[in-house]
Every structure is written in C-alpha cells, then in structure tokens.
Amino acid sequence: MWDYSEKVQDHFFKPRNAGAVANANATGDVGSLSCGDALRLTLKVNPETDIIEDAGFQTFGCGSAVASSSALTEMVKGMTVDQALKISNQDIADYLDGLPPEKMHCSVMGREALQAAVANYRGEEWKDDHEEGALICKCFAVDAVLIEETIRANHLSTVEEVTFYTKAGGGCSACFEGIEEILNKIMLERDEEEVVAPPPEPVKPAKAPLTNLQRMRRIEHTLEAIRPQLQADRGDIELVEVDFDKKIAFVNLSGACSGCQMAAATLGGVQQRVMEDLGEFIRVLPATEMGKF
Amino acid sequence: MSEGIYLDNNATTMVSPEVVQAMLPFFTEQFGNPSSIHQFGNKVGLAIKAARKQVQKLLGAEHDSEIVFTSCGTESDSTAILSALKAQPERKEIITTVVEHPAILTLCENLEKDGYTVHYLKVDGKGRLDLDAYAKLLTDNVAIVSAMWANNESGTYFPVVEMAEMANAAGVMFHTDAVQAVGKIPMSLKDTKIDMLSVSGHKLHAPKGIGVLYLRRGTRFRPLLRGGHQERGRRAGTENAASIVALGKAAEMAFEHMEHENICVRAMRDRLKEGLLAAIPNCFVTGDPDNCLPNTLNIAFEYIEGEAILLMLNKQGIAASSGSACTSGSLEPSHVMRAMGIPYTAAHGTIRFSLSRYNNMPEIEKVIAAVPPIIAQLRKLSPYWDNVNNAPLEEPEKAFAPAYA
Ligand SMILES: Cc1ncc(COP(=O)(O)O)c(C=O)c1O
C-alpha cells in the first residue's frame, strides 16, 4: 500500500479536531470529482480580530485525506483569516512530512475547503478554478489537464517540449505513451482547425531550451545547495564531468561520504534534487565509474 | 506462517507448503534444461508432463496437449485475443464485458486504437449480462468473445458455458478469463464449447509468474512468443520448470479440496456475511450473492472510504482489499462497482473479503468482531453522517453537497 509518513499515519489514526465546530460562522464544503473524496471544514472566527479560534473537519476520504484535513485544522487555529489563506497545499503536505504524488490532491482539497470557508465567512461566493485530471507523470505529479493546457497554450508538438514546459516525462519516462496520446489528440484537433482558420501565431516559449553550459551551471547550483548538509556530516561533493549525450553527471564524494555505506543512498537523493531543478532526467554517478561509459 | 488474518486471496494466495516442497528440487538438483539429455535435466521433462496432466484433470480438459504453460494470467489473456485476431484477419470485432480485469480491458482499449471495434457488454445492478444483447452482436465480423468466468471483485459468475455455446453456434471463437474460478469450482471443459481459457498459478496457491492457456484441440492459433520449440511451438522460451511443477501440485491439491472449498470455505464466507450485515447498518453485498464464487464477499459500507477502512483493519492484522479509488492510484473507484451503478458514496467504501482453505472459523469470528467499531469510528468523521442520531443525515446527498472540483 501507500508509503505514508509517520506524521500522516499519526494524523489518520489520531485525527485532531474531528467533527463540526459548535457555533461555527464559516463552513466550506468541497470535493474532488476525480477521486470522490469530500470534506467539510467548519471554523469559528472572531469577527473583531479575524482570528480563527476553532476549526473542525468532517471527511469522506482515504487515509491521506483525513490526515490532510486534520493537519489543516491544526495549522489554521490561531491564525488570522488572511494568514490562513496564504497556506498552500504544499504547506499542508510539508506539515505531514510529505504525501505520495498520487495523494497530493488530498492536500489541494484541504486548501480549497479553507478558501471556501473564508468566502462563506465573508459572505462571498467561492468558485473553484482548479481542474484536475488523471495523473500522467508520477515522478513529478503532473496531471492530464495541466499537460493539455500547456500544449495548447504553447503550441507544443513533441514529448521533449512537453517535458521541458511541465517536467512531465522528465523522470522515469514511463509516461511517454500517455503524453504522446494527449499530443496526438490535440494535434489532430489542430489539423482540423487549420483547415478553416490560418495557423495561429506561434507563441514564443516562455523559456528557450537550456544550453549545455546553462544546464551545467544549474547542476552546480544544486550541488552547492546540497553541500552544507554533507559538510555537516564531514563529507563533500564536487562536480567532475557531465555527459549530456548519456545523461550522466559524474561527481566526487569525499571525506566521510566516500566509501560510506550511505554513498549510494546519498547519490540517489542528490540525483532526485538535480533532476527536479533541471527538469529533465539525469543520472548522478561517482567519478570512479567514468571509465565504464 | 505470519500472524494475522489473510482475507485477500483474490489478489494472491500463499504458496502451499507442499507446493514449495515439490518445486525445490528443480532449483537444486534437477536444474537442467528439459531439452537436454544429460542427468541434470532428464527428470525435468517427465515432471512437466506430470504437471500438465494434473492441470488437465483440474480443468476437465480432454487432452493434456491442450494445456500451454505461460508466464501469467495476463500473458494467457493477451495470447488468446491477439491469436484470434491474427488467425482471422478478416474479422475486426471483439466482444467483451465492461467488468473484465485490466488484463483484458487495457488490451482491448489499445486494440481500438489500432482500428478494431470492441463491443463492451453492460451489466445490471447485480453484475449480470443481457444475453439477448449479446446474441445480437454475434456476427461474422467478430473474431473472438472474451468474458470472465468469475469477477475478481464481486465473485459474480458469467454464464460462460452458455455463452460459449451461443458463440460456437454463430461460428465465433470463445475465450474466458477463468483466473478467479479455476481451483474454486469444478470444471469439465471437454463438455463445453470454450475454445480458450486463462489460468493464473498465484490465485490457487502456486507461485506468481506461472499461468496456463487452455487451447482446445483444433482451435486456430498464432503464438505470441516465437522462438524455440517449447510447448509445441505455441509458447517459446525455456520452461519455468520449478513453477510448472508447482502449478501441477497446486492443481492436484485444488482438485482434492474442491468439496472443502464449496462446503467449508463457503460456510465461513456465509458466516462472515451474516455476521457483518447483522452488526453494521447501511451496508450491502455487491454483485449477485446467489451466483458467485464460494470464497468471495464484497460489501459496500456507505458514507465512508475503503482505504481508511483497510488501514484500520491492517492495524489489527486483518488483510482485505477495496474498490476505492484511493487504494489503486488510478483516482477512479472500481470500474466494476461503477458498471453496476453503485453510487460514489458506496463504491468508495467497498471492501472485498476473499477467503481460502487456509482460513478458519475463529478467524472469521475475530473479523466479525473487529469490523463494526472501525466502521462506526470512520462514520463519526464523515460529513454524510449524523452523529446525534447515529444514522446517515436525512437525504445525505442534499444535506452535504460539496462544490466539486
Ligand atoms: C480476473 C483476472 N484476470 C487476470 C489476472 C492477472 O493474472 P496475473 O497476475 O497472473 O497476470 C487477475 C489477477 O489479478 C485476475 O483477477
């Protein structure tokens, strides 16, 4: 089953603030159509100070939906309404020490319930602008709707471009077939449109593809950010060479890190960070392996 | 054996200790290639032959040469359908059902992209087919019908013997995914018109990664894997000897326990059903309880979600599974439950208990005691539940109507 953090399990098995708040003056009811989960958030807000004095939740949903709701109520208590609105779904996930990518939508639901409750408190009507599709890229949690919108907005036509704009497909590449399907569908529509209308003005990509030099700098930048952690454990890391054709970055692990049992695990973590910052797949290997490729 | 109560046998089963014993020598002593003539492999061919006979007996097949060993149920399913299409290139249609396992459905969806037409037979609220609608679709354009013998989620049977007769009369090939049925109910394929049938070892106490395609003698066939002459050229690749021997032993044991399965296992399942339905309000059995596998019980607990139930059961050492979206990673509740028209608020709370002959009555009583408090605890958290009256809200779907994203 899911790889839930201790924190998630704790909030699921011992939910905080379960049930509706007595004398609530703000209620937010939201659901996620894609997975059928639903949440009612009730708040008691002090009208003088705008401070949330109490919060309660009722959730129809899975383990991480319950945990996200419980975490949210803990987070908002004592905040002003404006402070609470600044909470992002990533903040909720971070509070729980992370959620599996397939479960991030549970934290999205929490944030939306909060917005809906605040709107209710202020006598406004809350409209949801967030649409969610089937999860395509599991490495970077990118869904079909985002991919479709990005392809349309930027007139993309290859998987590489989609990866570049959305990160989807930048990890294990298992979702290439799924991305290709979305591309084909949109390109077919595009062909049909083009019969009646002249081709739309191509939109300039928001960012041009990176040169190798730029990519190299990014990798170095990421490694710089990681170094203090390693140095704290009396180790260090240094970039030696990048082979962009083979998509490998070779590094020297030194000090306490080299030869340590954890070297492989460390490199795995480094690779994940580098990949996320670079937005494309790359392997990180010790420089001693350089001759083998 | 580990402690805990394992009621997830439709997902996979424990390998019987006797089966493990039977397969061990084929890793250590008789590890040779069955095609070799030296002493390291000379007994392997005979052992495979014996296993083929054991499977033949369990299926009630006329000839042992009708048994083709494959790597899993999924491979058997793919082989059957792709073979029928290749052997009859002029036929471009497939008939199947909306509640098949992904091993069939995903393949069919992919074939649609290649230009084939797939007819998906619908089911009613109890998971039953409309045979009149089926009869109308049986034309010369259809290459193959594929309908499962028993559904993996609800346990409900399709009338495959009758459906095969109808297909045969119309000159159409018939395949059934019997992965859940084989070993649980008696079969006599020689008395049917079923042309092809899929088996998976790990559902009947053999290991994972071994399967069988039953291929009626005379059925036109094109192999999926070509290469060596193994399995008479119908499935190339050096035989997975140890697992084949294991599946043979498991088939023999399933045959011996057939009565036990249909009397004792069924009695435990029935007791579980009565016990849970009596103790818990607002729950119901899905599928067709009068026409279903002896080991399977699928209950929908309304207004709560399945993964949450499973996590709490797991804490007490009880293993089951759920049709909830959240356990699958697909973000969709089970296609089987949706096809039967089960509302979202119930489909998400479906739990499948699937038993085996390794369960016992005291375990069942423990489960009957453990489940009701879990359901009550989760309902306390549910926005559809009225905690004052301890019942669903009046008109729950109106009382709580969230804005859906
Ligand atoms: C009905 C059905 N068909 C096919 C399969 C796939 O079998 P295997 O796991 O051996 O590929 C399963 C098992 O999950 C099943 O329940």
Side-chain angles (χ1 to χ4, degrees):
Chain A
M1 220 178 323
W2 302 107
D3 188 9
Y4 283 141
S5 71
E6 300 272 326
K7 241 350 201 322
V8 173
Q9 297 193 34
D10 182 47
H11 275 266
F12 170 69
F13 286 114
K14 286 184 268 161
R16 330 285 200 267
N17 313 306
V21 168
N23 307 322
N25 54 356
T27 302
D29 291 349
V30 295
S32 159
L33 197 59
S34 61
C35 76
D37 286 359
L39 160 64
R40 168 175 285 172
L41 179 70
T42 46
L43 305 175
K44 190 165 154 237
V45 187
N46 184 331
E48 309 278 302
T49 58
D50 256 7
I51 285 178
I52 299 171
E53 293 179 341
D54 203 359
F57 77 89
Q58 289 158 282
T59 292
F60 171 75
C62 59
S64 56
V66 171
S68 297
S69 313
S70 165
L72 174 70
T73 53
E74 284 289 276
M75 292 165 81
V76 298
K77 277 202 283 184
M79 283 187 173
T80 65
V81 167
D82 283 334
Q83 284 168 336
L85 279 178
K86 294 211 181 80
I87 294 176
S88 70
N89 70 304
Q90 190 63 49
D91 294 334
I92 300 174
D94 289 347
Y95 185 90
L96 290 168
D97 295 338
L99 287 170
E102 289 89 345
K103 297 287 190 163
M104 281 304 284
H105 65 93
C106 296
S107 58
V108 173
M109 197 168 75
R111 195 204 53 196
E112 289 176 345
L114 187 61
Q115 291 172 341
V118 170
N120 173 253
Y121 166 69
R122 290 178 172 162
E124 298 162 358
E125 198 180 329
W126 178 73
K127 273 232 309 286
D128 175 53
D129 55 358
H130 164 90
E131 209 183 329
E132 206 186 324
L135 193 66
I136 302 286
C137 169
K138 294 193 176 165
C139 297
F140 294 119
V142 189
D143 69 31
V145 172
L146 180 68
I147 294 176
E148 257 196 73
E149 283 172 356
T150 312
I151 293 174
R152 283 185 211 282
N154 300 293
H155 220 75
L156 307 184
S157 54
T158 66
V159 175
E160 289 77 45
E161 287 173 334
V162 174
T163 305
F164 189 69
Y165 277 81
T166 66
K167 284 192 178 183
C172 72
S173 72
C175 60
F176 272 22
E177 196 176 345
I179 298 176
E180 266 171 26
E181 257 167 42
I182 300 177
L183 266 173
N184 286 344
K185 186 185 89 182
I186 295 176
M187 282 162 70
L188 269 177
E189 290 170 13
R190 218 180 265 164
D191 283 350
E192 279 159 20
E193 278 166 26
E194 279 168 6
V195 180
V196 286
E201 198 69 21
V203 184
K204 286 233 174 69
K207 20 179 189 167
L210 298 183
T211 65
N212 283 351
L213 182 63
Q214 287 171 314
R215 287 149 104 191
M216 197 104 73
R217 285 212 185 109
R218 276 208 190 185
I219 297 172
E220 268 199 320
H221 191 79
T222 309
L223 293 185
E224 278 309 313
I226 297 172
R227 282 182 71 198
Q229 270 165 269
L230 296 177
Q231 284 164 344
D233 292 333
R234 280 174 293 120
D236 209 346
I237 193 166
E238 172 196 22
L239 184 63
V240 178
E241 173 69 293
V242 184
D243 185 333
F244 285 107
D245 293 333
K246 299 203 177 81
K247 296 187 190 293
I248 307 176
F250 293 100
V251 298
N252 264 335
L253 275 179
S254 53
C257 296
S258 69
C260 110
Q261 288 272 331
M262 295 300 290
T266 307
L267 282 183
V270 171
Q271 172 169 319
Q272 187 64 28
R273 283 277 292 274
V274 171
M275 251 162 46
E276 278 173 23
D277 291 351
L278 199 61
E280 62 184 280
F281 177 77
I282 191 152
R283 280 206 286 169
V284 176
L285 294 177
T288 46
E289 306 254 318
M290 223 146 80
K292 298 183 189 161
F293 287 89
Chain B
M1 224 195 305
S2 64
E3 304 207 7
I5 302 177
Y6 186 75
L7 299 182
D8 201 9
N9 287 280
N10 286 13
T12 196
T13 58
M14 179 189 84
V15 181
S16 300
E18 295 88 338
V19 169
V20 174
Q21 281 308 316
M23 69 191 293
L24 284 181
F26 296 88
F27 292 112
T28 48
E29 295 145 31
Q30 283 291 309
F31 60 82
N33 193 314
S35 305
S36 310
I37 55 166
H38 49 62
Q39 58 178 350
F40 298 96
N42 58 0
K43 293 205 192 104
V44 184
L46 288 177
I48 290 178
K49 200 169 167 196
R52 209 181 295 282
K53 287 245 180 253
Q54 287 162 318
V55 174
Q56 177 199 356
K57 189 168 169 197
L58 181 65
L59 299 182
E62 184 149 18
H63 310 280
D64 66 353
S65 59
E66 293 173 331
I67 307 302
V68 181
F69 289 109
T70 65
S71 72
C72 60
T74 303
E75 186 194 323
S76 302
D77 284 346
S78 267
T79 306
I81 292 194
L82 295 173
S83 160
L85 295 177
K86 262 206 153 163
Q88 311 166 90
E90 68 293 350
R91 295 180 176 230
K92 300 283 188 206
E93 294 180 19
I94 300 167
I95 302 176
T96 186
T97 82
V98 288
V99 295
E100 295 299 307
H101 188 270
I104 295 287
L105 283 182
T106 312
L107 174 68
C108 283
E109 281 157 22
N110 207 261
L111 287 167
E112 284 181 288
K113 287 179 201 148
D114 293 342
Y116 291 95
T117 302
V118 183
H119 304 283
Y120 299 94
L121 297 172
K122 294 195 178 56
V123 296
D124 67 9
K126 287 188 149 187
R128 295 171 302 196
L129 294 172
D130 175 354
L131 289 192
D132 292 334
Y134 167 57
K136 289 201 187 87
L137 291 170
L138 287 169
T139 67
D140 289 345
N141 299 326
V142 178
I144 187 164
V145 178
S146 180
M148 66 206 315
W149 196 311
N151 188 273
N152 46 306
E153 289 186 32
S154 67
T156 305
Y157 300 134
F158 281 150
V160 286
V161 173
E162 188 183 346
M163 290 173 79
E165 298 274 352
M166 291 165 71
N168 185 266
V172 177
M173 257 186 221
F174 190 89
H175 165 256
T176 178
D177 176 338
V179 164
Q180 292 294 346
V182 169
K184 294 177 190 148
I185 51 172
M187 280 180 193
S188 180
L189 293 184
K190 60 180 176 299
D191 301 320
T192 74
K193 294 281 192 288
I194 293 168
D195 298 301
M196 292 187 271
L197 172 144
S198 303
V199 183
S200 174
H202 71 99
K203 310 284 185 181
L204 57 141
H205 304 290
K208 292 141 191 73
I210 184 72
V212 161
L213 178 66
Y214 161 83
L215 183 63
R216 170 181 299 284
R217 183 175 281 184
T219 305
R220 293 173 67 191
F221 184 73
R222 297 285 182 280
L224 183 67
L225 297 184
R226 291 171 195 272
H229 52 81
Q230 295 90 350
E231 300 298 294
R232 299 170 182 244
R234 295 173 300 183
R235 202 286 188 180
T238 299
E239 297 87 342
N240 183 355
S243 291
I244 290 174
V245 168
L247 178 51
K249 181 70 188 167
E252 181 187 279
M253 291 178 71
F255 189 83
E256 285 165 3
H257 288 90
M258 196 56 80
E259 229 182 76
H260 179 91
E261 182 85 21
N262 285 279
I263 296 173
C264 304
V265 176
R266 182 189 297 274
M268 288 190 278
R269 191 274 314 269
D270 289 345
R271 169 68 192 126
L272 182 62
K273 176 163 66 181
E274 285 158 24
L276 292 180
L277 292 183
I280 301 168
N282 299 94
C283 67
F284 59 90
V285 177
T286 71
D288 187 0
D290 302 325
N291 185 33
C292 112
L293 288 173
N295 79 318
T296 308
L297 172 65
N298 192 308
I299 299 192
F301 298 101
E302 291 182 278
Y303 310 115
I304 47 175
E305 195 274 339
E307 186 202 281
I309 303 173
L310 292 183
L311 288 169
M312 295 208 165
L313 283 172
N314 184 49
K315 224 180 172 195
Q316 301 197 30
I318 300 170
S321 67
S322 165
S324 136
C326 289
T327 52
S328 61
S330 73
L331 297 186
E332 285 281 347
S334 137
H335 67 287
V336 178
M337 296 303 146
R338 276 186 305 147
M340 294 194 289
I342 311 260
Y344 261 100
T345 44
H348 273 283
T350 52
I351 299 289
R352 177 186 69 189
F353 301 96
S354 47
L355 286 58
S356 81
R357 60 178 188 265
Y358 292 100
N359 291 116
N360 55 48
M361 216 38 129
E363 288 182 333
I364 299 302
E365 296 300 339
K366 274 189 205 154
V367 176
I368 293 172
V371 176
I374 290 176
I375 304 300
Q377 192 180 341
L378 286 170
R379 280 184 175 156
K380 271 197 192 142
L381 298 180
S382 170
Y384 295 104
W385 201 254
D386 177 350
N387 282 318
V388 179
N389 296 315
N390 195 24
L393 293 168
E394 250 177 78
E395 297 197 68
E397 252 110 292
K398 273 193 202 148
F400 179 70
Y404 273 104

